Amino acid sequence: MSNIREAVMDLERHAAKQGWDRPLGLYALVPTSELLTAEPALAGLLGIDSPADPDELTPVEQEELPGDVPLEEALGRILWPEGVAGCALVMERLVVKGSDETLAAGEDPALSGKETEEIRMVAGVLRDGSRHCAMRMRSHDSESEVLNGPDLIPALTSALALTLDLEE
């Protein structure tokens, strides 16, 4: 199953349509063909009649993660059931320009004295180990400037892989 790139890029476009300043979103990635079989009514609501590709994935949004728990800890509490082919996370962060350092949640960029850039990251991982990420900068908010690749955000994909019980 290697449609992780398509699933991540679809989630990135979906997040872009919703706009900025959105809460973190966690998604189970399920094979669309299995979704159609198990939940025909839900598939109808989503406008899915038949997948063009047997490996097509459908993201299913999960409940919000607790806001009072660090992301790493919240992800550490998740273990997906076998029917879930993978998972994805959509999140916004302030990063220090010219580095991979992010500001802590609630940290005021004006008080930090660091020049920051707001970014939206989408990362996805499948049980077969394949992964893909996308990153959009708020200052370059166009689909043509979305960065993407399998190794763009390795710490985040590694954390997601652990929720699938994949060895890192």
Side-chain angles (χ1 to χ4, degrees):
M1 196 175 297
S2 61
N3 282 340
I4 189 65
R5 182 185 185 285
E6 290 81 9
V8 165
M9 297 310 289
D10 284 347
L11 277 170
E12 197 289 322
R13 285 187 288 276
H14 177 72
K17 287 178 186 170
Q18 292 182 323
W20 289 89
D21 304 319
R22 308 279 306 164
L24 182 138
L26 180 65
Y27 297 83
L29 299 176
V30 296
T32 304
S33 58
E34 291 179 24
L35 177 66
L36 291 172
T37 302
E39 299 287 341
L42 175 61
L45 286 173
L46 296 173
I48 302 169
D49 9 333
S50 62
D53 179 343
D55 291 333
E56 184 177 329
L57 298 167
T58 297
V60 178
E61 190 165 14
Q62 304 299 296
E63 291 182 23
E64 269 189 48
L65 293 174
D68 59 340
V69 176
L71 178 60
E72 298 80 13
E73 187 178 328
L75 289 176
R77 297 176 182 174
I78 296 171
L79 191 58
W80 298 99
E82 285 299 316
V84 172
C87 59
L89 186 73
V90 178
M91 62 190 267
E92 296 176 10
R93 287 291 186 261
L94 284 175
V95 296
V96 176
K97 285 189 176 182
S99 78
D100 62 356
E101 177 187 355
T102 60
L103 294 188
E107 185 178 351
D108 186 346
L111 296 177
S112 74
K114 300 172 182 172
E115 190 176 358
T116 60
E117 173 78 43
E118 189 170 0
I119 62 169
R120 179 184 305 115
M121 300 177 279
V122 182
V125 177
L126 295 181
R127 288 191 188 277
D128 68 8
S130 57
R131 52 191 70 203
H132 200 80
C133 303
M135 187 182 311
R136 182 184 295 241
M137 293 177 228
R138 193 169 193 157
S139 63
H140 299 279
D141 194 2
S142 75
E143 192 168 335
S144 66
E145 296 195 58
V146 172
L147 305 171
N148 74 93
D151 300 318
L152 195 58
I153 316 165
L156 189 52
T157 54
S158 292
L160 289 173
L162 292 175
T163 70
L164 295 165
D165 203 23
L166 299 177
E167 294 296 321
E168 281 297 300

